[in-house]
Amino acid sequence: MSRERGTSGSSRAALGSLRSFRSEQVSTEYSRLQEENEAASQQRCRALLAELARPLDTNLARGTYAQPGGYHAYEAERQQLLEGYREAEGKGPKAEEVLDEFLAGRRAEAEAVLKADNALSEAEKQLEDQKQQAQLLEQQQKATAERERQLEALLADERSSYEQNLQALEAKMQAEAASTQRELQRVLDVKLREHSEAALLADSVKDCD
């Protein structure tokens, strides 16, 4: 009886050890598969992000964003990248972690684009201000020149009007002088004729006497 109980106890211990070993094997196998799955997920996600970021990298290399408003275009391209990444299937358990690493790695890049955009925008603003000031000065000069032309034209008109009035006055005075001269001559002729007639009459009277 005692021997049977001892045998039974040994069997249970052996069975427990076997179950424990198998459990450890399953746990180890599960951990290995999980690690492989996570590694595969990281690889797929990084490859996907690299592919989606190709247009962004191309535009950066070409200097597409190195202009006023460049950060807006950069951010729009980055949003397209994120939308494409989130819509892609089969990314696995490391999708968000890899995306976080990707964005963190390109944070300095985004800040550089923003800084360049602000500097270029400020330079463009200053250039536009200078351009507007130059246009304003040019317009003021044109307005001044126009006023001078109008003044010169007015003076020319006044000179012409004065000369015309002077000529008209001279002509009128000459006409009046000529008329006066003719009137004087007529009066003188009348007087002379009267005097001549009176003299003839006097001579006739003398001859009759």
Side-chain angles (χ1 to χ4, degrees), residues 101-169:
E101 292 176 354
F102 174 82
L103 294 176
R106 305 194 74 138
R107 185 174 295 117
E109 170 189 282
E111 291 174 353
V113 173
L114 178 60
K115 184 177 180 180
D117 185 5
N118 290 336
L120 290 170
S121 297
E122 181 63 25
E124 184 182 48
K125 180 181 178 182
Q126 292 178 358
L127 182 62
E128 185 64 24
D129 289 343
Q130 292 174 358
K131 182 178 178 181
Q132 290 180 0
Q133 290 176 2
Q135 289 176 343
L136 179 60
L137 178 60
E138 182 181 2
Q139 185 58 38
Q140 290 175 344
Q141 291 174 344
K142 288 181 178 179
T144 300
E146 184 179 47
R147 287 194 296 270
E148 290 177 351
R149 286 195 300 269
Q150 291 175 349
L151 179 59
E152 289 176 357
L154 179 61
L155 292 175
D157 290 342
E158 289 180 351
R159 282 195 298 268
S160 177
S161 178
Y162 172 77
E163 290 174 357
Q164 290 176 359
N165 291 336
L166 182 60
Q167 290 175 357
L169 180 60

